[in-house]
Amino acid sequence: MNISEAKQRIAKLREVINYHRYLYHVENCQEMSDDALDSLKKELFDLEQKFPSLITPDSPTQRVAGRPSKGFVKVEHPGRMISLNDVFSEQDFKDWLNRLENFLGKPYSGDFYCDLKMDGLAIELVYEDGILTQASTRGDGLIGEDVTQNIRTVEAVPLRLSPHGRSPVGRRDDKLKIPKKLIVRGEVFLTKKELARINREQKAKGGKLYANPRNLAAGTIRQLDAKITAGRKLSFYAYSIVGNDGSYGDGFKSHDAEYKALREWGIGVNPHGRVLDTLDGVFKFYSEWQAKRDALDYEFDGTVISINDNTLYRKSGIIGKSPRGAIAFKFAAREAETIIEDIIIQVGRTGVLTPVAVLRPVHIGGTTVSRATLHNLDEINRLGVKIGDTVIVGRAGDVIPDVKRVLVELRTGKPRRFGRGPDTLSSGEKEFRMPKKCPICGQPVTQIEGQVAFRCENTDCPARQREAVYHAIGRKAFDMDGVGPKVIDQLMDAGLIVNVADLFTLNKEDFLNLERFADVSAQNAVDAIAARREISFARFIIALGIPNVGEETAIVLARQFRTLDKLVTVTIEDLQKISDIGPIVAQSISDWFKKPYNKKFLDKFKKAGVKISPEKGPTPGTGKLAGKTFVVTGTLETMSRDQAQDKIRALGGDTSSSVSKETDYVVAGENPGSKYDKAQKLGVKTLEEKDFIKLIS
């Protein structure tokens, strides 16, 4: 990217960031996730570092944006309420430390204070003679809003300081005394539990449900009626003490000493903060809390790492809007901004064509993502996606990357270069069109009647055959550990198998003819296949890859008909009598078993000696948990999630991968994540593991 291209991109990024920061800080609303906005700011920061001549004083990286809301008295802060720069990796952190050491002129060998980065609303408190006299919001960093009456309703904020004075905690004087004037900065936040309670009340009276704790906390503090604030149980953690001139630390030798003093005076600080003296310790602290990200009852999106020595911290000074002596070490984003460089087509096991976005590689959830599903043409049209667009990409259920939103305001309509070489210059943002021929076999593509999907009708299409085998050896079907897609590719390329049934006819010599197979590895592959020669009826149905038949439908069919012979001869009318099977699924099942190709496919399993065992459990509609739908989330101690689901089905219950109003119970293990939050929001009953075990006993 040359300086002209960078200048154009920087201008667009600043415009978008300023707009969304205005919505958040001034209008108290949000149209973009924090992760996505952080990603935009990181791109802007990196571009400005690469082209420092383009940095301007009004850039979002150089100042704290936002203005005080109307309706509140303005308050001037003693010094700017600064915010922190972000890093997202260990290397980013080391780069920050190197810049700090270059400024100090020597290596840093002191301690770090490590804290959780709370996701709330920054507040400044003023105590005079130990009495709370003023509370104000950040505002634009220099002038905020007086919200004293609202803060006085927050029980976590003491109205009077405790005069314990029991510890010197590193101050210049010998005893910890309550100062004549104390200025404290911290974070007001709302717990997940309190958000769930408020949403239950809102739902009961038909009111609006709130999306997240941070937005509700910000809106609560800005209520003109303090009674509304009092009705919502806000919390508060302090994170620093400042002097009358805005200086940080205000006489304390260390950040740790500040925290001890605050606790002595009865002001809460995050109890998980720690002093660490090595980089390995800092990285371990970060990793531990990233793993526990969903474990606490409040939102936090990273860690804050500060120089513990306050004298050195103050000496480090401030650059732009941020202190040199502290950094926000953010967790891996669940959403990020990137560019769609192309849209390609994948052909699945049923012949359905799925458009896939080829992305400029971006880090999401701790991994590098270079592709994201676009699902189908209707979804592309709904999003308005074009090749060359800047988009927000997330992970559905934190697993499958998909495109969440198009940032149309960043379109230029001009050519853009992707990578290097003569064929990497685009002609600007381009419309995507579904191909008329299969990109794999070249046969015609048709739209499935009554559906949005397009399909390659060639049943012998290599892509369909290969994907069908991948599906059949998967965890929910034959679960062939040790025989993965790469082995399947070699077997199919060598002409040794056409479908999954052929696997059971192979011997060791067949594998010895393949690349990277020796005597031991060939025997291991044969043994892995032989170990799956017996399979439950439900898993076998899943392995067949019948269109519209997923795991739950397969279990229903297995319990209803018990044997393959009965299922093969079933009529559409019989299928539609089953409550969980509709007309489309019934037609799909009936059509599959009528096709001569599939009859030969089933005969192959029989000749290969594959044994299908009856599915355990009651017939549909019976059993202790009949009619109840469960979602299992998090890590259970006494069983895996699959085992928990098997126990539910064995008692006649249904399982689902997503939470909805129709869900009866959510079984929550350790680190339950977003499904637990959604259950709380919808008022779905949640069970701890011990309660679940009691229920199924």
Side-chain angles (χ1 to χ4, degrees), residues 223-332:
Q223 290 290 332
L224 294 176
D225 185 357
K227 292 180 181 178
I228 297 176
T229 308
R232 299 169 182 174
K233 299 175 183 177
L234 292 169
S235 298
F236 175 82
Y237 282 150
Y239 55 69
S240 71
I241 297 172
V242 299
N244 293 329
D245 59 352
S247 60
Y248 279 75
D250 193 29
F252 288 91
K253 291 182 180 179
S254 68
H255 197 52
D256 183 38
E258 288 180 65
Y259 271 41
K260 289 178 180 176
L262 288 165
R263 285 193 292 267
E264 285 285 327
W265 288 324
I267 301 175
V269 296
N270 195 298
H272 302 295
R274 291 168 60 191
V275 177
L276 298 168
D277 58 2
T278 65
L279 279 187
D280 286 344
V282 170
F283 295 154
K284 184 178 180 182
F285 180 86
Y286 170 86
S287 298
E288 285 177 353
W289 281 107
Q290 180 165 242
K292 299 177 185 177
R293 185 173 184 176
D294 298 313
L296 299 182
D297 193 31
Y298 50 80
E299 300 282 357
F300 59 103
D301 57 359
T303 60
V304 175
I305 314 299
S306 309
I307 295 175
N308 196 36
D309 185 327
N310 276 345
T311 301
L312 202 56
Y313 181 97
R314 286 189 290 272
K315 182 180 177 182
S316 300
I318 293 174
I319 179 169
K321 68 182 181 71
S322 306
R324 283 192 178 90
I327 200 77
F329 197 169
K330 299 288 285 289
F331 294 145

Side-chain angles (χ1 to χ4, degrees), residues 308-365:
N308 196 36
D309 185 327
N310 276 345
T311 301
L312 202 56
Y313 181 97
R314 286 189 290 272
K315 182 180 177 182
S316 300
I318 293 174
I319 179 169
K321 68 182 181 71
S322 306
R324 283 192 178 90
I327 200 77
F329 197 169
K330 299 288 285 289
F331 294 145
R334 287 167 172 160
E335 290 185 355
E337 163 262 339
T338 188
I339 291 174
I340 294 181
E341 298 187 341
D342 197 4
I343 296 177
I344 61 174
I345 291 294
Q346 285 185 347
V347 182
R349 60 185 174 82
T350 62
V352 171
L353 276 60
T354 301
V356 176
V358 179
L359 308 171
R360 176 181 293 175
V362 63
H363 290 284
I364 307 176

Side-chain angles (χ1 to χ4, degrees), residues 78-138:
R80 179 182 289 276
M81 288 186 71
I82 58 178
S83 58
L84 301 173
N85 278 329
D86 300 333
V87 295
F88 294 88
S89 67
E90 290 185 6
Q91 187 57 53
D92 282 350
F93 185 89
K94 290 176 181 177
D95 290 343
W96 162 75
L97 189 57
N98 286 336
R99 291 195 297 270
L100 173 65
E101 290 176 337
N102 288 337
F103 177 81
L104 295 174
K106 60 180 180 180
Y108 179 69
S109 58
D111 296 334
F112 297 95
Y113 192 89
C114 303
D115 203 356
L116 301 187
K117 187 179 182 301
M118 302 295 296
D119 196 12
L121 180 73
I123 292 290
E124 182 176 86
L125 307 177
V126 178
Y127 288 88
E128 295 182 87
D129 294 322
I131 305 295
L132 178 67
T133 57
Q134 184 176 275
S136 56
T137 62
R138 180 198 296 272

Side-chain angles (χ1 to χ4, degrees), residues 18-62:
N18 283 330
Y19 170 70
H20 286 285
R21 294 188 72 177
Y22 171 82
L23 287 180
Y24 173 69
H25 288 289
V26 179
E27 299 296 333
N28 192 29
C29 64
Q30 194 171 7
E31 292 182 356
M32 181 183 290
S33 74
D34 296 334
D35 286 342
L37 191 57
D38 282 343
S39 183
L40 287 173
K41 289 188 285 187
K42 182 67 164 55
E43 181 185 357
L44 176 60
F45 177 83
D46 289 344
L47 279 174
E48 289 181 345
Q49 293 301 303
K50 189 175 181 181
F51 300 95
S53 63
L54 298 179
I55 298 175
T56 60
D58 62 344
S59 172
T61 64
Q62 303 300 303

Side-chain angles (χ1 to χ4, degrees), residues 554-572:
I555 292 169
V556 169
L557 292 171
R559 290 181 178 173
Q560 183 72 35
F561 298 102
R562 299 293 177 179
T563 67
L564 181 61
D565 290 338
K566 289 182 180 179
L567 180 58
V568 167
T569 58
V570 73
T571 65
I572 292 178

